[in-house]
Amino acid sequence: EPEVTQTPSHQVTQMGQEVILRCVPISNHLYFYWYRQILGQKVEFLVSFYNNEISEKSEIFDDQFSVERPDGSNFTLKIRSTKLEDSAMYFCASTEAGTDSYEQYFGPGTRLTVT
Amino acid sequence: LAKTTQPISMDSYEGQEVNITCSHNNIATNDYITWYQQFPSQGPRFIIQGYKTKVTNEVASLFIPADRKSSTLSLPRVSLSDTAVYYCLVGGGSQGNLIFGKGTKLSVKP
């Protein structure tokens, strides 16, 4: 069964450093998403991406965040200058086009720890 | 997107049927009702989606009354591995971003 993959599984970085989180969505999917989940809290939407541009973003997704699809398979989330409060699990998700389903396929997540 | 209300936690025993009810009084005409499951340190996983009446798949059933102001996720004969957080989401259209609430933490005991 196809699945969304994410790397690394755990990233530790110092405050102020840039991090890039990587995702490989399911190959025939065209819509891509990033969510985050701070420990013990709910899953929060960050950004959606379709046709090589951002479709929608939340207020969390400020100028410190950016997304990119550098090639035909990877989808990345960059945090330019990390803060302590960026520590969270970051989930990538994807879904196919042309469906009425709300079924998004989530990756296993990257645990980001900012020290 | 319509706001949802569901119990914070539920306890059950192996082999029992579990019903988790979600209220969504402000559901819009074009909104679907979707349920996700999340295990600790894993991404959410789609369980089931419905619009009205009853939907059943190999994992669960979803009951939606005629007024659609609530829905009930039914898990038949739960096992220890069904211990997870279950989220009820309401929204319209496809490809939209998902808005998660706090979910219901289900604990299944032996």
Side-chain angles (χ1 to χ4, degrees):
Chain A
E1 184 178 328
E3 56 183 23
V4 176
T5 59
Q6 292 186 242
T7 54
S9 57
H10 191 188
Q11 173 92 45
V12 181
T13 188
Q14 289 191 324
M15 198 166 52
Q17 296 295 304
E18 174 184 286
V19 294
I20 297 176
L21 310 182
R22 291 182 168 79
C23 167
V24 178
I26 294 172
S27 62
N28 64 332
H29 286 184
L30 298 178
Y31 289 81
F32 314 117
Y33 312 82
W34 283 101
Y35 295 83
R36 80 171 186 191
Q37 186 174 32
I38 294 169
L39 185 64
Q41 298 188 26
K42 60 185 181 181
V43 177
E44 299 173 292
F45 166 75
L46 293 178
V47 65
S48 58
F49 191 86
Y50 171 71
N51 201 24
N52 284 319
E53 60 183 26
I54 290 174
S55 305
E56 195 170 353
K57 59 183 180 179
S58 71
E59 62 268 17
I60 302 170
F61 194 87
D62 60 22
D63 291 344
Q64 292 299 312
F65 292 87
S66 62
V67 289
E68 193 179 30
R69 188 153 163 82
D71 53 44
S73 59
N74 289 285
F75 179 52
T76 62
L77 174 69
K78 182 194 293 187
I79 309 175
R80 249 177 284 282
S81 177
T82 51
K83 309 184 195 67
L84 293 176
E85 54 265 36
D86 292 327
S87 294
M89 282 288 283
Y90 287 81
F91 296 107
C92 172
S94 69
T95 192
E96 55 187 326
T99 172
D100 288 333
S101 174
Y102 245 164
E103 182 172 5
Q104 293 183 11
Y105 294 78
F106 283 75
T110 292
R111 180 177 298 283
L112 176 65
T113 303
V114 182
T115 61
Chain B
L1 292 174
K3 181 177 163 57
T4 61
T5 303
Q6 52 184 125
I8 294 173
S9 64
M10 291 182 72
D11 291 332
S12 182
Y13 291 93
E14 280 192 292
Q16 287 188 331
E17 177 185 81
V18 170
N19 296 308
I20 306 175
T21 297
C22 177
S23 298
H24 27 80
N25 290 317
N26 296 322
I27 190 168
T29 304
N30 63 340
D31 283 346
Y32 282 83
I33 300 155
T34 310
W35 286 79
Y36 276 76
Q37 173 194 56
Q38 186 181 26
F39 298 113
S41 298
Q42 292 188 29
R45 185 176 74 102
F46 173 90
I47 300 175
I48 198 166
Q49 176 176 300
Y51 184 80
K52 62 181 178 180
T53 63
K54 177 184 173 183
V55 180
T56 297
N57 62 21
E58 64 277 5
V59 176
S61 294
L62 178 59
F63 298 91
I64 305 168
D67 66 5
R68 304 200 327 121
K69 291 183 184 300
S70 66
S71 59
T72 299
L73 175 72
S74 181
L75 306 172
R77 296 181 300 282
V78 294
S79 63
L80 296 176
S81 62
D82 291 316
T83 293
V85 179
Y86 292 82
Y87 299 96
C88 165
L89 294 86
V90 172
S94 58
Q95 287 87 43
N97 54 288
L98 300 176
I99 304 296
F100 288 85
K102 295 185 177 178
T104 297
K105 186 173 182 180
L106 173 66
S107 297
V108 180
K109 302 173 184 177

